[in-house]
Amino acid sequence: MTGDDDANRGEGGRPEDGGREDARRGDDGRGDEVRGARRIPGPRAAADDFDLDAVPLPPPVPPTGPQPQSSLPIPRPTTPEPESAVAPPDPPGSPAPSDPPAAPALVLPHRVLKALLGAWALAACSVEETEAVEAHLTECAACADEALRLRDAVGLLQTDRSLDLDPTLRSRVIDTCLSRRPAKIPVPDWAAPYDAETARLDALLRDIGGSEWHAPLRLRWFEGETEVNRKTTVAGVIGHLMTVDGLVATALGLDVPLGDGTTGRGDDWPLPPTARTEKFWSTARRPPTRAIHEPWRAQSHTLIRTVSFAGRGVAELSVSYGDFALPMHDALLDRAFECWVHGGDIADAVDYPYEAPSAAHLHRMVDLAARLIPAALAERRRSGLAGPARHLVTAGSPGRSLHLEIEGTGGGDWYIPLDSPAAVGSAAHTVAQVALDGVEFCRLVAGHVPPVEAAAGQEGDREAIRDVLFAAASLSRL
């Protein structure tokens, strides 16, 4: 270093033409001692601090083919790029780079793989663990069986399924138990629908909260040609069911719950269901609460137990409803029908899912309604609410008929005599046809669907169709 160089040093010992280089080494001049040592890089310099003419450019990449000439100038870079930013091209003839070698398969001992089966069933394993487990399942039968059981168990944990039990679960469990050890005193087949529907309603009532027993709802039915309703609560509906069930209990010689909380024969109580229910509601000291659940449940169990012990003769015992009477087997079927209908009313009031009865039981309910329609039609004709009879026949002879076709669950075909309840329905004498879904027909009979909106398909005599639909709706009552 010459004296001229020393003279050119400015204040602070920085040369005017190389001050930035010495600044990178440090003011103490020990840059050579730490050259090559790893250190934390400082902040990147701004682009305006560089002399772009002094920054070396990366070597050009040779073209791989003819390139079109462009008249536009190539812009110069505005920021310096390190020389290693662009890799030099491979010399001609060099081999292409090969793919990196695949990772070796995960090898785990049997005890670890068995412990991972639960996580595998839940899809919680990593990709490597999943491959190892699935490879092991093809070799180990015991682990494969365990994996299938775990997958089935995981399927039961899915939350998108309904948490409510299958309505047929109870009957299937009972059927399985009875197939292994038949009951010494079985429930009569004709009482099975009432047994099933009271059990389903009991399950619903056990699942609702205390405040929901006071949820308001309206009971609907038809009188004449108009729809009427009565406002009550969930507890009030159970009181109504218990009171009308008392008609069956009275026919069996049993005591019935009275409105004041006591039990007795109830000889002074009216027989028609509507008047009987109104007396129960008016006699109660206070509005019904959830305390009504246990008396209703106890009475339904007593009815099932009594008819089971009574034997076959009780099936034809007459049950009076005031204006009409039904044999015991039809009366319990009627009570099963009303239990299902009002169970649906309660379920709607508390926003609870409630399915239709089983196909076999629903078919019996439809059959009962179809057998009652001719008498209801005759009653409406006497009241001037239906058209006159057109062709009277002797009792037991076929006459003009309507073909009632019930589709779906519990479906079938019924031929309703139009001119006389003593006549026999006949396919050969059909003058009209009505097609209805099974549940929809039951809703019509319960008074929950207007007759003019009920039939899905109609064909033939329009007056006969109207008379039968309104007669079916007139079967409804409180």
Side-chain angles (χ1 to χ4, degrees):
M1 189 176 293
T2 64
D4 293 337
D5 293 332
D6 294 336
N8 289 334
R9 292 180 182 274
E11 184 179 355
R14 295 187 181 90
E16 295 180 0
D17 58 350
R20 291 187 180 90
E21 183 67 21
D22 287 342
R24 286 195 297 270
R25 294 194 185 107
D27 291 344
D28 55 359
R30 293 183 297 176
D32 293 339
E33 298 179 6
V34 296
R35 188 185 303 276
R38 294 185 178 181
R39 62 189 180 83
I40 300 175
R44 195 174 193 183
D48 295 340
D49 293 341
F50 288 95
D51 184 0
L52 298 180
D53 294 331
V55 176
L57 295 177
V61 178
T64 59
Q67 300 291 333
Q69 298 294 329
S70 175
S71 60
L72 296 177
I74 299 177
R76 301 184 64 172
T78 58
T79 57
E81 297 183 4
E83 295 184 2
S84 60
V86 179
D90 295 334
S94 60
S98 59
D99 295 334
L106 186 63
V107 179
L108 298 173
H110 179 272
R111 59 181 181 82
V112 176
L113 292 169
K114 186 175 181 180
L116 287 174
L117 292 179
W120 171 83
L122 292 168
C125 288
S126 65
V127 176
E128 294 80 6
E129 291 172 339
T130 300
E131 293 176 352
V133 170
E134 292 179 351
H136 176 68
L137 295 181
T138 62
E139 303 173 354
C140 181
C143 288
D145 293 340
E146 180 67 14
L148 288 176
R149 286 194 293 269
L150 291 173
R151 269 290 168 90
D152 292 341
V154 170
L156 298 175
L157 301 177
Q158 300 296 327
T159 58
D160 55 347
R161 299 181 181 179
S162 174
L163 298 180
D164 299 298
L165 295 178
D166 184 350
T168 64
L169 177 60
R170 179 178 182 273
S171 60
R172 288 191 284 113
V173 171
I174 292 177
D175 291 343
T176 302
C177 294
L178 294 179
S179 65
R180 297 184 178 181
R181 190 179 65 179
K184 293 182 179 180
I185 304 177
V187 175
D189 181 66
W190 48 267
Y194 178 75
D195 185 29
E197 292 309 312
T198 53
R200 289 207 305 143
L201 180 55
D202 182 46
L204 185 155
L205 297 177
R206 288 177 175 274
D207 206 29
I208 65 177
S211 61
E212 291 175 314
W213 281 85
H214 304 285
L217 57 83
R218 288 189 177 273
L219 300 178
R220 295 175 292 164
W221 68 97
F222 267 81
E223 288 184 358
E225 297 194 1
T226 60
E227 182 181 4
V228 295
N229 62 77
R230 178 70 155 79
K231 186 177 180 180
T232 183
T233 63
V234 171
V237 173
I238 300 303
H240 160 63
L241 288 174
M242 182 180 69
T243 302
V244 182
D245 283 353
L247 295 174
V248 180
T250 300
L252 292 171
L254 303 173
D255 289 343
V256 297
L258 304 177
D260 56 0
T262 62
T263 59
R265 294 301 304 271
D267 294 330
D268 57 338
W269 281 53
L271 293 177
T274 300
R276 192 177 183 89
T277 300
E278 294 290 354
K279 181 175 178 63
F280 175 82
W281 284 341
S282 62
T283 304
R285 298 191 182 101
R286 51 169 116 34
T289 64
R290 67 182 308 166
I292 199 71
H293 181 199
E294 190 56 35
W296 167 80
R297 183 172 180 269
Q299 179 178 253
S300 63
H301 286 186
T302 301
L303 292 178
I304 294 296
R305 185 169 56 252
T306 302
V307 298
S308 299
F309 278 89
R312 296 181 179 180
V314 74
E316 298 301 327
L317 184 66
S318 179
V319 178
S320 176
Y321 284 74
D323 299 334
F324 62 97
L326 293 174
M328 179 64 68
H329 62 90
D330 281 345
L332 276 187
L333 187 56
D334 168 76
R335 303 312 306 140
F337 174 81
E338 189 167 359
C339 188
W340 163 47
V341 170
H342 289 323
D345 294 335
I346 294 172
D348 291 340
V350 299
D351 194 19
Y352 193 97
Y354 206 69
E355 300 294 333
S358 66
H361 294 172
L362 186 62
H363 181 85
R364 294 186 187 183
M365 296 175 186
V366 172
D367 179 72
L368 174 62
R371 289 188 282 113
L372 294 177
I373 286 178
L377 179 57
E379 179 63 30
R380 287 178 58 83
R381 186 173 286 122
R382 285 192 291 269
S383 303
L385 299 176
R390 296 185 182 180
H391 185 66
L392 293 176
V393 296
T394 58
S397 300
R400 283 194 325 134
S401 304
L402 178 139
H403 178 198
L404 176 62
E405 181 183 359
I406 301 299
E407 303 170 340
T409 302
D413 295 278
W414 287 264
Y415 293 91
I416 312 297
L418 296 173
D419 296 322
S420 172
V424 177
S426 170
H429 295 77
T430 299
V431 298
Q433 180 178 359
V434 171
L436 277 167
D437 175 74
V439 174
E440 188 76 359
F441 175 73
C442 290
R443 287 173 53 81
L444 168 67
V445 174
H448 285 42
V449 176
V452 294
E453 301 177 5
Q458 304 178 8
E459 182 180 4
D461 190 328
R462 310 301 296 180
E463 184 182 47
I465 292 174
R466 181 187 182 279
D467 288 345
V468 168
L469 292 179
F470 274 87
S474 70
L475 295 175
S476 63
R477 60 178 184 273
L478 175 61

